[in-house]
Amino acid sequence: MSVVKHPHKKAAGELEAPGRSFTLLCETPSCVFSLQSDYHFEYTDCDVLGSRWRVAVPNKANTCTGLPDPVKGTECTFSCSEGEFLDMRTQECQKCAAGTYSLGTSVAFDEWGSLPAGFVSQGLNTNGGIIHTNCSNSTWTPKGDYIASNTDECSAILSYAVNLKKHGTVSFDYFYPDNSIYFEFFVQNDQCQSTDSDSRWMKISESDWSHHTVELNKGSNVLYWRSTAYTLLGSAIKPVLLKNIAISGVAYMSECFHCKPGTYSSTPGSARCTPCPANSFSNKGATVCHECEKDKYAEAGSASCKPRPACNSSDYFYTHTPCDSNGKTQLMYKWIEPKICSESVEGAVKLPASGEMQTCPPCNPGFFVTNSSTCEPCASGFYSNGTACAECPVGTEPVVGFEYKWWNKMPSNMKSSAFRREYTWEVAGEYIYTIPADQDSDYMILSLNVPGYRLPQSMAKDSERSELSRITFVFETICTADCTLYFMVGYNQWNNDVVEQWRGSSSKQSYSYLIQSNSTVSFTWTFQRTQGYTERKYSADVAKIYSIHITNVIDGVASHCRHCALGLGYGKTSSACVPCPPGHYMLNGTGVCKSCPPNTFIRAEQPVGEEACIRCGPNTKRNKARTRERRLHYDFSPLANVTGFQSSPRFTSKGLRYFHHFNVALCGKEGRELAACVDNVTESGREVRGYVCQSTVVPSDIRGQSVVSSQPAVIGDTLIGVTTKTTLSDISSLEQSFPAASSLPDVIFYYRSSETTQACKHGRSTTIRLRCDPTVTAKDHITLPSNCSEGTCDGCSFHFLWQSRHACPLCTKHHYREIVSACIQGIQVNTYVWQQPLQCYGGEALPPQRVSACVTLDFWLKFGVSTGTIAAVLLISISCYFWKKTRKLQYKYSKLAMNSSGKECELPAADSCAIMEGEDAEDDLIYLTKKSFFNKIHKSFSRERTSDGFDSVPLKSSSSGLPREEDDSDGP
């Protein structure tokens, strides 16, 4: 007796019990498998030599012996072609039967009624754990034919693990219309290492489903589809859609798959099943489709038929036939295909009669009517108003572009599409409009392709110009549900960015968009009646476009000609248009260029007439190119570089943190602006430039970088002026939001953006208030208004306060004062200090400390005493001199009185006309005979005064020789 153990299977009679095991030995013949359904074949794992064994595995455990013996299997790299499967009994490839299909070495997932086996979907929090957010329900949701991503502020991951026996591929179709979702696809191996891929981030879908293929390595591969939505503006987000996921490189297919309901395969060896046509259906594994009954209908690929509803006015549309040779067109009414309504049901409407003849509308400007009543473009250098072409006169040039205002035929560079049909917009003479769709949630797409843009030859090349081209269209929406009209701009043939959207009904209005880059190649209008899944409930909701006008288009047509400056050509009469020099305008009706008046600059699209010269704003002048340049009493050069700052953190309803980031080039540079904001979320890499720009920044690691930037917009591309006034050109600065702490006025820069939005029909504006603060050392100390934390209160007017020491006026000699020290040991120091509070920076520096010689106090004291002594002596001398003179006068008077004593009341007769000769000498003799000056003084005081009041003066006899009279008192 012996026991033979089958690989991967216990031997017959081998039992297991908790805690022990034992073996029952039996005779070999026990029971024999008689039915093929009792077991199946599998391959063992491949060994190091690349070989394997085929073994039989019972479908139920603990069955009897008698299984087929193991045999050598096929090579590990063996595979079958599409439409075939590997028959494990014969180990040969066989064709799939009718009603089934096979992808050979591939697996496909095209049914999304539920999540297929092997797929895992989960939601993750993206706010960094700042606020607890429940993302358990934020997963990918199956929708029947496709699977849709989340639209909330969580990260939804769809994953699938597969082990490839050889190098293969994964491919899928996706629709990614909204750049508010970050959508990526990547592959990791069994070590959680991401494979290198340049296409990890998906490109925005232009108008329809996009196809993506990535190569896979041999071995274990984990596929990841991840989407993260950011509802920053509170608007609804369109989810990412996935379908038709196929993976190649698996080992083999041991059986074929049955066709899903609504599809069929009529021949053996099919690689895929064919959807049933409209008004037919099929069951699972069908080889043919069955027609619906007359009172029922079915969409293409349906598994059953539905009763036909009664026809109404939303089940048909009208259009115009091309003009015939007589210039007539027919008004045609058509049922929407596939027709699902019934005209025989009670209350149904009939299709209006077609064939009414109408006069064809004129051709669009730049086109002419041919003999067959068709419209053809005029040749280069010609123009027309829609009837006949005429050549532009000498001294003029054509104004080229595209202008569509009559809609008798869809222009050749425009097309319409949707998910399920080719045409969704129809021409209607005066406008083009959306026709009803199969489902109200379908996107009705209208695209316009443009080859590029070129400025007219007569226009000066001003690199500071922001208007390379402009598109303007007039539209209207009439809705009863939550319809939305999107306007998207494509910056290459694969990417479209939503630049504006209108929700609900919108009255007839005009919208303009500035084109700043020559890479723009397409414009797209997308209309969605509702986001909910409904079938023709809101078919009457419609979007209409009345006119579309694009300027400066390469290979465009001209509606008129304009005057230009002339340059002499090769012939005497030949001439060509040339641009006027910078800062010059052209006189009307002539080719003469004339300089703009002082303090004005050229920025008009067509510099014709003096009105094209725009006056410079306050404190600005024109530069060499006659564009704007600042001239202030401040030195703002340290603030001239591009400066970036952001608002305080904001949080969405689910706790997602984001910022508004701003870049500012205060003055830019001559000829170009420097501030730039980009979109690094999608592959478009869209960039906008201006004096001030804004973007939304989300801190995240989903791109392997610290932040992601999206939704860039210019909020200032024209410098209006620089002034201290709080209002300029209808732009007001929020003075109350930035209270000043000093009497020095703020210097305010005023900017305006010519790009309009639905909310800002007159464009955006920005004010930057520069405030002097010598204590601020950083160059980018910029704050936002206290009552508008995002820099704006209405989304149109932005206000910022920039505090810096470089915003202070230049220092002059009036900003400092002099301090003089005391004189110490003959040295005196003069020191200069700033006046406080300091309100200047740069300019004149403080003068250096000055040292000079000086005289001390002791010297001046000695000098004063000496001078006083000399003055006293001099004063005494002068007093004595005048005293002497006085005594002389007294003497003369006394002498005169004595001579007149003989006659009473009679003066003595004068015996001479003056003092007698010898009197002075006598007087002098009297005094000079004294020993000294002090003796004279003593002598004067020793004189005796007589009783008559006169002094007694002793006299000498005269020596004149005259006879002397005898005194009566003498004796005889």
Side-chain angles (χ1 to χ4, degrees):
M1 230 173 27
S2 63
V3 176
V4 179
K5 293 188 177 180
H6 195 283
H8 306 288
K9 178 179 172 62
K10 295 182 178 65
E14 184 175 341
L15 303 178
E16 291 186 4
R20 66 169 185 248
S21 63
F22 56 89
T23 302
L24 296 179
L25 299 180
C26 310
E27 297 293 335
T28 300
S30 173
C31 54
V32 180
F33 285 90
S34 59
L35 298 176
Q36 182 180 349
S37 60
D38 293 337
Y39 64 92
H40 65 277
F41 292 104
E42 291 183 0
Y43 281 125
T44 62
D45 293 336
C46 295
D47 56 22
V48 294
L49 299 177
S51 61
R52 56 188 175 183
W53 290 82
R54 189 201 69 176
V55 297
V57 180
N59 295 330
K60 295 182 180 180
N62 300 325
T63 55
C64 299
T65 59
L67 293 173
D69 294 333
V71 297
K72 188 174 181 60
T74 59
E75 296 294 330
C76 291
T77 59
F78 177 83
S79 62
C80 296
S81 302
E82 291 184 346
E84 297 179 343
F85 72 100
L86 179 62
D87 187 353
M88 294 296 289
R89 287 190 175 276
T90 62
Q91 298 194 77
E92 294 179 354
C93 294
Q94 302 290 337
K95 287 186 176 182
C96 293
T100 62
Y101 72 98
S102 169
L103 296 175
T105 59
S106 302
V107 291
F109 305 94
D110 52 8
E111 294 185 52
W112 298 94
S114 60
L115 202 64
F119 281 88
V120 178
S121 181
Q122 58 180 338
L124 299 178
N125 196 333
T126 57
N127 58 27
I130 299 176
I131 299 177
H132 177 70
T133 303
N134 184 9
C135 295
S136 59
N137 295 326
S138 300
T139 58
W140 289 76
T141 306
K143 297 289 188 180
D145 294 336
Y146 55 85
I147 184 172
S149 72
N150 66 318
T151 56
D152 57 7
E153 295 154 7
C154 294
S155 183
I157 299 177
L158 178 68
S159 62
Y160 182 78
V162 62
N163 191 359
L164 300 185
K165 299 303 180 182
K166 61 180 181 180
H167 292 284
T169 60
V170 56
S171 63
F172 55 89
D173 296 331
Y174 71 92
F175 184 70
Y176 176 25
D178 198 333
N179 59 5
S180 295
I181 293 182
Y182 306 153
F183 176 45
E184 61 179 327
F185 171 75
F186 59 96
V187 182
Q188 290 183 345
N189 57 20
D190 54 0
Q191 301 299 321
C192 295
Q193 297 173 342
S194 296
T195 58
D196 295 333
S197 176
D198 296 333
S199 56
R200 173 168 180 165
W201 290 91
M202 299 294 99
K203 300 175 181 178
I204 294 290
S205 301
E206 184 175 3
S207 59
D208 207 341
W209 291 87
S210 301
H211 187 76
H212 188 67
T213 301
V214 174
E215 294 185 356
L216 301 177
N217 296 326
K218 178 182 177 181
S220 298
N221 293 269
V222 184
L223 315 179
Y224 290 95
W225 294 265
R226 178 160 62 177
S227 66
T228 305
Y230 294 96
T231 56
L232 303 181
L233 302 179
S235 59
I237 295 179
K238 300 183 289 296
V240 179
L241 309 181
L242 281 178
K243 69 176 183 179
N244 297 336
I245 299 177
I247 305 171
S248 65
V250 297
Y252 59 90
M253 296 292 295
S254 60
E255 60 180 346
C256 297
F257 297 101
H258 289 88
C259 294
K260 68 176 183 179
T263 63
Y264 72 99
S265 64
S266 58
T267 59
S270 297
R272 55 188 51 85
C273 300
T274 305
C276 291
N279 296 325
S280 64
F281 71 99
S282 69
N283 298 318
K284 183 177 181 180
T287 58
V288 295
C289 294
H290 304 283
E291 294 288 337
C292 294
E293 299 177 4
K294 291 184 178 181
D295 58 345
K296 294 183 178 181
Y297 77 99
E299 299 174 353
S302 297
S304 61
C305 299
K306 303 175 184 178
R308 293 183 180 273
C311 292
N312 55 48
S313 58
S314 62
D315 290 318
Y316 63 86
F317 66 96
Y318 61 93
T319 184
H320 291 265
T321 62
C323 293
D324 57 19
S325 58
N326 298 322
K328 298 292 183 180
T329 180
Q330 283 186 306
L331 181 63
M332 304 296 294
Y333 292 91
K334 299 180 180 179
W335 292 111
I336 297 174
E337 297 295 341
K339 182 183 177 183
I340 64 174
C341 65
S342 174
E343 300 177 66
S344 59
V345 178
E346 183 179 357
V349 299
K350 300 294 183 179
L351 186 68
S354 300
E356 179 183 354
M357 302 299 295
Q358 296 179 349
T359 302
C360 284
C363 295
N364 284 311
F367 291 79
F368 68 97
V369 182
T370 64
N371 294 331
S372 59
S373 297
T374 60
C375 295
E376 296 292 337
C378 293
S380 178
F382 288 75
Y383 73 99
S384 86
N385 59 358
T387 55
C389 298
E391 187 175 6
C392 291
V394 176
T396 65
E397 65 177 348
V399 181
V400 298
F402 288 137
E403 184 176 0
Y404 303 116
K405 61 180 181 180
W406 300 108
W407 303 92
N408 185 64
K409 181 183 178 182
M410 183 73 74
S412 59
N413 59 347
M414 298 182 69
K415 67 176 183 178
S416 64
S417 62
F419 287 159
R420 299 175 177 83
R421 64 173 64 200
E422 183 177 2
Y423 299 106
T424 56
W425 293 71
E426 284 288 345
V427 295
E430 295 181 352
Y431 54 83
I432 183 173
Y433 73 106
T434 55
I435 64 175
D438 296 339
Q439 296 177 0
D440 291 337
S441 58
D442 286 351
Y443 294 99
M444 322 294 288
I445 301 170
L446 176 67
S447 60
L448 168 63
N449 295 320
V450 179
Y453 313 93
R454 181 188 297 121
L455 288 173
Q457 189 174 2
S458 66
M459 297 186 63
K461 293 183 178 180
D462 182 3
S463 59
E464 194 174 331
R465 291 181 53 85
S466 60
E467 186 172 338
L468 174 65
S469 178
R470 178 189 293 264
I471 180 172
T472 304
F473 60 92
V474 179
F475 71 97
E476 178 185 19
T477 58
I478 303 174
C479 303
T480 58
D482 56 334
C483 68
T484 306
L485 176 65
Y486 301 91
F487 174 61
M488 297 181 287
V489 177
Y491 287 84
N492 55 54
Q493 59 181 343
W494 301 110
N495 297 296
N496 274 325
D497 293 331
V498 177
V499 297
E500 192 59 86
Q501 54 183 310
W502 297 268
R503 298 189 178 277
S505 296
S506 300
S507 59
K508 189 175 180 180
Q509 59 186 279
S510 175
Y511 177 79
S512 294
Y513 176 77
L514 294 180
I515 301 161
Q516 302 176 359
S517 172
N518 205 15
S519 60
T520 304
V521 296
S522 66
F523 302 96
T524 303
W525 295 265
T526 301
F527 181 69
Q528 186 184 32
R529 290 179 171 85
T530 182
Q531 296 182 2
Y533 182 84
T534 59
E535 294 186 6
R536 299 191 184 180
K537 182 178 180 181
Y538 304 106
S539 297
D541 294 359
V542 64
K544 299 179 180 180
I545 297 179
Y546 292 89
S547 64
I548 301 175
H549 185 204
I550 314 176
T551 62
N552 302 335
V553 178
I554 296 177
D555 298 332
V557 295
S559 59
H560 63 280
C561 299
R562 62 185 166 197
H563 291 282
C564 62
L566 298 180
L568 186 61
Y570 295 104
K572 294 184 179 179
T573 59
S574 63
S575 60
C577 291
V578 297
C580 285
H584 289 68
Y585 66 93
M586 189 179 63
L587 296 176
N588 290 320
T590 68
V592 179
C593 295
K594 188 176 180 180
S595 177
C596 281
N599 203 31
T600 61
F601 71 103
I602 284 286
R603 199 177 176 87
E605 180 182 355
Q606 173 62 17
V608 177
E610 188 174 355
E611 60 273 9
C613 300
I614 303 174
R615 181 167 295 279
C616 296
N619 298 310
T620 61
K621 68 176 183 179
R622 65 182 186 180
N623 58 17
K624 295 179 181 179
R626 272 69 173 182
T627 55
R628 297 190 175 193
E629 181 184 78
R630 63 174 175 81
R631 184 184 66 179
L632 299 174
H633 296 289
Y634 296 75
D635 183 11
F636 292 139
S637 56
L639 308 178
N641 295 331
V642 177
T643 302
F645 61 97
Q646 59 189 19
S647 67
S648 57
R650 310 287 295 172
F651 296 90
T652 60
S653 58
K654 283 199 172 184
L656 177 66
R657 184 164 59 109
Y658 67 95
F659 305 86
H660 288 299
H661 184 81
F662 302 90
N663 281 336
V664 174
L666 194 63
C667 302
K669 290 186 178 180
E670 185 172 310
R672 62 190 180 101
E673 300 93 1
L674 292 179
C677 297
V678 300
D679 177 8
N680 64 359
V681 177
T682 63
E683 292 294 329
S684 66
R686 186 166 70 95
E687 180 181 83
V688 297
R689 288 183 174 270
Y691 287 103
V692 190
C693 62
Q694 175 199 27
S695 61
T696 301
V697 173
V698 180
S700 176
D701 59 354
I702 65 171
R703 283 193 69 109
Q705 56 195 47
S706 58
V707 297
V708 290
S709 175
S710 64
Q711 302 173 358
V714 175
I715 58 176
D717 58 16
T718 302
L719 176 61
I720 302 300
V722 184
T723 180
T724 58
K725 297 180 180 180
T726 57
T727 302
L728 179 64
S729 297
D730 299 330
I731 304 176
S732 298
S733 177
L734 293 180
E735 185 176 14
Q736 65 276 11
S737 299
F738 305 112
S742 65
S743 59
L744 191 67
D746 297 333
V747 179
I748 308 174
F749 282 69
Y750 289 86
Y751 304 93
R752 189 186 299 278
S753 173
S754 54
E755 187 176 72
T756 61
T757 63
Q758 182 183 6
C760 308
K761 298 186 181 301
H762 301 288
R764 298 183 178 97
S765 63
T766 301
T767 63
I768 299 179
R769 181 183 290 264
L770 296 185
R771 176 169 297 173
C772 172
D773 191 344
T775 63
V776 177
T777 58
K779 294 182 180 179
D780 55 352
H781 185 69
I782 304 177
T783 57
L784 283 70
S786 57
N787 56 336
C788 306
S789 58
E790 296 182 358
T792 178
C793 298
D794 56 3
C796 300
S797 301
F798 293 81
H799 308 276
F800 308 104
L801 173 64
W802 194 339
Q803 294 173 277
S804 174
R805 59 184 180 180
H806 301 290
C808 298
L810 298 177
C811 294
T812 64
K813 62 182 180 180
H814 302 290
H815 290 93
Y816 60 82
R817 59 188 178 92
E818 182 182 16
I819 298 178
V820 181
S821 67
C823 184
I824 302 175
Q825 297 181 354
I827 298 176
Q828 190 174 52
V829 179
N830 293 19
T831 306
Y832 300 90
V833 296
W834 295 112
Q835 295 184 3
Q836 298 298 328
L838 182 62
Q839 293 184 341
C840 70
Y841 185 79
E844 294 188 15
L846 281 175
Q849 197 175 56
R850 185 165 55 89
V851 179
S852 59
C854 62
V855 181
T856 61
L857 180 62
D858 294 340
F859 171 81
W860 289 111
L861 181 61
K862 295 177 182 179
F863 178 79
V865 172
S866 302
T867 304
T869 303
I870 295 174
V873 173
L874 183 61
L875 181 61
I876 293 173
S877 301
I878 294 173
S879 300
C880 293
Y881 173 78
F882 284 105
W883 176 80
K884 180 181 178 181
K885 286 291 184 180
T886 304
R887 298 306 300 173
K888 285 184 178 182
L889 291 176
Q890 289 178 352
Y891 168 75
K892 292 177 180 179
Y893 180 78
S894 300
K895 186 176 182 180
L896 181 63
M898 292 175 62
N899 292 332
S900 60
S901 60
K903 293 181 181 181
E904 192 174 339
C905 297
E906 184 179 334
L907 292 174
D911 53 2
S912 66
C913 295
I915 296 177
M916 294 183 65
E917 182 179 358
E919 290 181 345
D920 288 338
E922 185 177 358
D923 294 337
D924 293 338
L925 179 63
I926 294 175
Y927 291 100
L928 291 176
T929 56
K930 305 301 179 184
K931 295 294 183 177
S932 65
F933 176 76
F934 293 100
N935 290 332
K936 291 182 180 181
I937 297 175
H938 176 75
K939 193 71 176 180
S940 62
F941 282 102
S942 64
R943 293 172 180 173
E944 296 180 0
R945 183 176 295 273
T946 60
S947 57
D948 58 3
F950 292 96
D951 292 334
S952 175
V953 179
L955 299 175
K956 289 183 179 182
S957 60
S958 174
S959 59
S960 61
L962 294 177
R964 181 177 61 88
E965 294 181 359
E966 296 290 335
D967 191 353
D968 292 341
S969 63
D970 293 344

